[in-house]
């Protein structure tokens, strides 16, 4: 019942703080015999890595992953895979202010209220740096899912949405925003630049789909695929909302508008059905339907801003704080590889779970 | 790792199908010595019970709960509390059509794809009837939380929202919609009546808050209070979206607008801080801050409608189906007691979890 | 993390007290499509049922099991199977003495120390009556294991052992002791009769084997097949010791004596190996080897005896107690079906677990 | 549901193979604020460390532990504690024989049957080297248990038992066998020397007690303290039997002989009772009674011996194998710190669990 673990059969546990010697993940339950080396994990970490454009934090971390166990002669052995990423750019700075007072919107006060004290250096355990461990674990999860394609992208920055009609998957990798709409990406440059220069921040929405998921994954009633995805996404730093399929928009449709009718597939009676719509986001009753699994994730603007905000010290005195140092003006951008990783981790778990009960 | 269980220390397992002899829940981990009898559970079941107005399904179920274990001389003993609700109104009807084809938007196809067959009577295990078990378990969870007040209400039906300025908590119990805005409730009568008469359905949004939650509940990083709430709410039948605090709206705010500044409380240096806003919904870093915990939940329109929809038979042939019989024109209404129950269940679990690790 | 649940993928939760209205089990994770009805469960409950000879307690319980969910048209659906057994013979008696003082050797004091009070009627939750739920769940587990034969028997009563040379499996069902040695069964009649007449009690050793278990079940390092069996058996009421294979005797062998050499099976190079011995009890490194899985389980003499023993009252005063009423002079005898059930439950769980990770 | 994890609230996960770069453990759920540094863990690792006398394997491992997370300014923060021990003495040797055939009595065949292949270097994941991770985690568990004293010792080697009348706790640290009886230790020198010189091996029995455990820890019915201890101990490499209290000997006692009568403690009516015996090993109904918790653990002789044994190759051909290289003639000796660690880990978990539910 580790509260730092996620998953049932394909299960990972993360550890580490922003300014400790390293962070890492232990992936347990990975099936044996899968070809793996660091080279299959590193590209995903590189995508999440900070400091790659002026639109993300300037912390410089190579985020080089090492596999410490569970792999032999280039294949997974079925035993725990220990992944470690050393912390390199722990910039020496004066943390006395953060030590003594609570940054509004951060987890500082909550951690102190829970644990009595906290590792205040760079956010400690609550730092978004922990998501590197998720991304590494997610790369292993992908090995379990050769039949599935997972893709996430940013669909909205600072309230400015992409034009769905201009969605171009090829475009996602062509701009620093993981944006599938080239025109929107240009607009976002200014939005994020403005926020950065003003010491402010903006929110974002990330969308993700997984195609190739067969019908039948998921488990009623308290391990539903959508419920697990909701937990996976809501647990990412700065996330405040999750939708499956049409999400809140579905609440504004009629039953007729929201229907996902079926017809026989062209492969004939034995094939999976052809759906005429996918309002449900590929999940019914908590179980995959064979359509693409889709979700949307809302990232708040980071609380790390230059404008001073009223707050209190650890001893309860009034003060003001603002954030010095390196931060993401739009933390949702770097959320894209994390959302993909969590999608992969949930799906890998449910694939094994389904095989165990129904295989 | 029961996939029909929820919670860690305060944990419940539900069982039962719509048209079996009974449904029920086993609540494990409830602290000993709490005063309890059926009379404390029944009112919550009554609030969820169908057939109480023309706006909900006309199935007539007394939903009388029995405590079968775990209670002695009117107090919880610390051992599992078995709750059972007999199914009474299993209207004898012809299920041959549902047996042979898949109702679009329902879990029929997904269950068949997963398990190879299904109990098709009334939706079987995927019926919203299962939520009665959650409500019963939730009533037990409330006993663990005397310091907490939980209240849910409908804020939107068929796209028509309440006026936040007319929010009146007293009004919630005065209309069949759990609506805190009397004027909106009147409008919704027509919306839901129209849907019912047309054999259609409408969606809804349910909001919920819990006040009195002390700072410090929740557990980074994979048992975050918000992540657990997201799973709890997304797992309710017909739910497609979950927001904590400002949710998706937060993605459209600037860092300054979204800040939750603090000042010293009037009780002085040792008191909990006074927050100047609650965009975060009472949770930071996955841990409660002492502010009210708030969430919003989107319910899709039920897929049970009179308009025929294209679908396929179990053998893959094209056909059409529409729903005969008793159904909810707005299933979100009866979601209110379920949302409250899931909030209580998550909070009770985290209270015990916090006490175990940090108590 | 229900502490009243057991198993990972094939998982059951029990509830109920000796003198409540009923006891039961919820079996979650049973694969779909297995033929099942009460008739497949009842014989195992009948074997455990008290009052069948003068050598077991005279409580008369029909122990009639009802399936309340998870089964449709005679097959498991993959959803939770709720099993209920009503308590019938809750003999009305005066429990005031047990309420006020602690029976030595029983769980009375421990329950009070943990929970502050207890359901003292007939032992409440700590009654051996709970094992009926295990036996019912175990009967479901057997359905998952058509390839496996599980057999338990009593090998020792009151220190008197069977003659291994006279082991006759057919004999097990021919006497009230589940004894495979007819001569020993005759001796035990006198031993148990003497204990019964003297108001005393004797201990017993139960042995169990499972043949047909393929190599590869079990999971290093903290879900080892032998570790799970140890927990399963030690958790049975009155059990104080568990051995796998040669157990403590192995600690007195040399490495040569304890070796389990292998040679090719007669089926040739592709067959499973032929083992020349089975000191290991069919498990190596926590994983099955394909040999029979064997274990031995020690049952203490029940603490319910007529000889008064010094004890204390709830308020800490000295007193004496002895057991009035109906009790087992040798509780290990009725442990046989329980040991078999726990073996089946552990194996079913590991079969699914193995299929999930490696299937 | 990681199968490489143990515990519920105080939970650890281990990873690593004998000949990989490192092994380690992630301890999750440790309460915050406990003073800790490597110096509190290292002595326990040193006690387990090989190569300290001629009676244990000559592999030379410094077993230097590093804390990588979860500690700040010398105190636990409540977040996961990552412990890492680098593998240093991975002696370069030719593993081709072990790669191609199965060592009898080892987990080689079982791993291959389960996973299809295995890391054969030094036993891979099934190596006793993994127990170093347990010992490190156990040292953290001890910090949670300042009120408890845990002590294990060897009571029997190669069938030669200590004289209980000569038990001297001070003696345990004075000989290389953790033996509390100086005369027995002298005899064991010859027994183990003889085995070592003959390339043979002998078994051992380790006993352990924990005093200071208050009444009330443990959780009926499937997280019983004794069941958890049984799993913990049976999961240690080479263990084949576990007893709580009198264990198998209790099966040979009468109910009168096995009674643990109570009288008022000298502190008067409000104190814990004074028990007149402890046949139960400090546990009744799965819950601690306040008496010392005692268990006995049987270690088989290691299968690594010089006498060739018949076995088969991976392709099923007959062959013979014997063990070359460094091995323990009596692996039970180094089991002592491991048994202590597992006792600490189980107790720490149950302390937190009890506080969570009943605190």
């Amino acid at each position: 019942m580790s509260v730092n673990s996620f998953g049932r059969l394909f299960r990972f546990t993360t550890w580490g703080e922003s300014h400790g010697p390293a962070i890492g993940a232990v992936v347990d339950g990975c099936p044996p015999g899968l070809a793996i080396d660091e080279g299959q994990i590193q590209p995903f970490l590189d995508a999440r890595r900070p400091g790659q454009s002026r639109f993300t934090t300037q912390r410089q971390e190579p985020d080089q992953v090492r596999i410490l166990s569970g792999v032999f002669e280039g294949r997974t052995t079925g035993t725990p895979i220990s992944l470690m990423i050393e912390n390199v750019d722990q910039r020496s700075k004066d943390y006395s202010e953060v030590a003594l007072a609570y940054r509004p919107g951060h987890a500082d006060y909550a951690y102190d209220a829970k644990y009595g004290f906290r590792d205040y250096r760079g956010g400690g355990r609550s730092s978004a740096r922990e998501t590197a461990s998720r991304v590494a674990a997610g790369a292993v999860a992908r090995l379990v899912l050769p039949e599935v394609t997972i893709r996430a992208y940013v669909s909205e920055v600072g309230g400015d949405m992409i034009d769905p009609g201009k969605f171009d998957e090829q475009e996602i990798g062509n701009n620093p925003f993981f944006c599938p709409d080239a025109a929107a990406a240009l607009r976002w440059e200014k939005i994020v630049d403005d926020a950065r220069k003003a010491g402010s921040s903006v929110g974002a929405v990330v969308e993700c789909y997984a195609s190739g998921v067969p019908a039948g994954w998921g488990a009623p009633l308290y391990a539903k695929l959508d419920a697990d995805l909701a937990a996976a996404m809501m647990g990412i730093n700065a996330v405040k909302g999750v939708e499956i399929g049409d999400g809140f928009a579905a609440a504004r449709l009629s039953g007729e508008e929201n229907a996902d009718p079926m017809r026989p597939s062209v492969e004939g009676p034995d094939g999976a059905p052809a759906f005429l719509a996918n309002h449900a986001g590929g999940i019914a009753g908590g179980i995959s339907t064979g359509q693409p699994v889709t979700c949307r994730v809302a990232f708040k603007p980071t609380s790390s801003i230059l404008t001073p905000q009223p707050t209190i010290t650890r001893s309860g005195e009034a003060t003001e704080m603002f954030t010095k140092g390196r931060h993401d003006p739009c933390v949702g951008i770097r959320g894209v590889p994390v959302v993909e990783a969590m999608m992969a981790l949930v799906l890998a778990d449910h694939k094994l779970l389904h095989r165990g009960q129904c295989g």
Side-chain angles (χ1 to χ4, degrees), chain A residues 15-170:
Chain A
W15 55 268
E17 280 83 31
S18 173
H19 282 58
I23 61 173
V26 180
V27 178
D28 194 14
C30 185
L34 303 174
I36 184 173
D37 62 27
E38 278 93 348
Q40 286 166 298
I41 303 173
Q42 197 61 48
F44 297 101
L45 284 168
D46 291 346
R48 194 211 72 99
R49 196 151 49 86
Q52 303 190 92
S53 80
R54 70 179 183 275
F55 307 110
T56 58
T57 173
Q58 295 307 300
R59 179 168 174 165
Q60 294 293 337
E61 282 287 358
D63 279 351
Q64 206 73 35
V65 68
R66 284 184 67 200
I67 299 176
L68 297 178
S69 68
V71 174
F72 183 59
E73 296 181 342
R75 289 188 295 161
T76 58
T77 59
T79 62
I81 301 170
S82 178
L83 305 167
M84 187 169 73
I85 301 164
E86 286 185 58
N87 290 329
V88 173
D89 185 15
Q90 310 148 34
R91 188 169 296 187
S92 163
K93 73 172 239 190
D94 179 7
Y95 282 105
S96 57
E97 196 187 27
V98 183
L100 295 175
Y102 301 124
R103 295 169 300 164
H106 282 275
D108 300 349
Y109 171 67
Y111 266 71
D112 257 22
K114 182 170 193 70
Y115 297 116
F117 80 121
R118 72 199 134 95
D119 179 350
Y120 45 74
R121 301 166 303 161
R125 180 74 178 144
S126 72
S127 166
R129 180 143 186 74
E130 186 269 350
T131 59
S133 298
R134 304 182 189 218
V135 169
V140 180
R142 287 172 187 264
L143 303 177
V144 180
L145 302 165
E147 69 274 57
V148 176
T149 301
I150 295 170
R151 200 69 178 103
Y153 51 89
V154 179
S155 67
E156 187 180 323
V157 163
D160 184 57
M161 297 174 64
I162 59 168
D163 179 346
K166 296 193 177 148
F167 183 96
D168 176 1
E169 192 182 315
Q170 302 305 320

Side-chain angles (χ1 to χ4, degrees), chain A residues 6-352:
Chain A
F6 188 87
R8 292 174 178 83
L9 278 187
F10 189 97
R11 184 169 173 90
F12 71 101
T13 302
T14 75
W15 55 268
E17 280 83 31
S18 173
H19 282 58
I23 61 173
V26 180
V27 178
D28 194 14
C30 185
L34 303 174
I36 184 173
D37 62 27
E38 278 93 348
Q40 286 166 298
I41 303 173
Q42 197 61 48
F44 297 101
L45 284 168
D46 291 346
R48 194 211 72 99
R49 196 151 49 86
Q52 303 190 92
S53 80
R54 70 179 183 275
F55 307 110
T56 58
T57 173
Q58 295 307 300
R59 179 168 174 165
Q60 294 293 337
E61 282 287 358
D63 279 351
Q64 206 73 35
V65 68
R66 284 184 67 200
I67 299 176
L68 297 178
S69 68
V71 174
F72 183 59
E73 296 181 342
R75 289 188 295 161
T76 58
T77 59
T79 62
I81 301 170
S82 178
L83 305 167
M84 187 169 73
I85 301 164
E86 286 185 58
N87 290 329
V88 173
D89 185 15
Q90 310 148 34
R91 188 169 296 187
S92 163
K93 73 172 239 190
D94 179 7
Y95 282 105
S96 57
E97 196 187 27
V98 183
L100 295 175
Y102 301 124
R103 295 169 300 164
H106 282 275
D108 300 349
Y109 171 67
Y111 266 71
D112 257 22
K114 182 170 193 70
Y115 297 116
F117 80 121
R118 72 199 134 95
D119 179 350
Y120 45 74
R121 301 166 303 161
R125 180 74 178 144
S126 72
S127 166
R129 180 143 186 74
E130 186 269 350
T131 59
S133 298
R134 304 182 189 218
V135 169
V140 180
R142 287 172 187 264
L143 303 177
V144 180
L145 302 165
E147 69 274 57
V148 176
T149 301
I150 295 170
R151 200 69 178 103
Y153 51 89
V154 179
S155 67
E156 187 180 323
V157 163
D160 184 57
M161 297 174 64
I162 59 168
D163 179 346
K166 296 193 177 148
F167 183 96
D168 176 1
E169 192 182 315
Q170 302 305 320
E171 192 59 34
I172 297 172
N174 288 345
N175 60 71
F177 302 106
F178 301 101
C179 176
D181 170 353
L186 283 176
R187 298 194 305 270
W188 295 353
E189 286 201 12
K190 177 164 164 46
I191 292 173
V192 180
D193 257 344
D194 286 354
R196 181 175 57 84
K197 290 173 187 164
S200 182
S201 63
V202 292
V205 174
V206 174
E207 300 188 6
C208 184
Y209 65 84
S211 57
V213 177
W217 294 2
L221 279 164
Y222 297 93
K224 284 181 168 174
L225 187 53
D226 39 5
D228 278 7
L229 282 172
M233 301 304 171
M234 194 68 90
I236 300 171
N237 300 43
V239 169
K240 302 304 288 185
V242 181
E243 298 179 315
I244 304 295
D246 281 7
F248 278 84
R252 281 134 212 166
L253 300 178
S254 70
E256 292 76 19
E257 295 164 332
N258 191 56
D260 290 332
M262 286 173 268
R263 64 178 178 210
S265 68
V266 291
E267 294 94 41
D270 291 338
F275 286 88
L276 306 177
N278 188 16
H279 298 282
I283 303 174
I287 302 169
S288 61
T289 62
Q291 292 193 283
V293 173
T294 67
C295 71
R296 298 179 75 243
V297 184
F299 286 82
K300 70 173 185 180
T302 177
S303 307
S304 299
I305 50 177
L306 277 176
T307 309
Q309 300 283 332
T311 190
I312 60 170
T313 64
R314 290 200 73 197
S315 51
E317 306 292 338
T319 185
E320 283 204 334
M321 289 185 85
F322 65 95
T323 302
K324 307 169 192 121
R326 308 159 298 178
H327 291 280
D328 281 292
C330 179
V331 76
I333 298 169
R334 287 173 54 222
V336 166
V338 187
V339 166
E340 286 190 355
M342 296 311 295
M343 174 69 86
L345 289 157
V346 169
L347 290 175
D349 188 36
H350 276 285
K351 177 177 181 174
L352 302 193

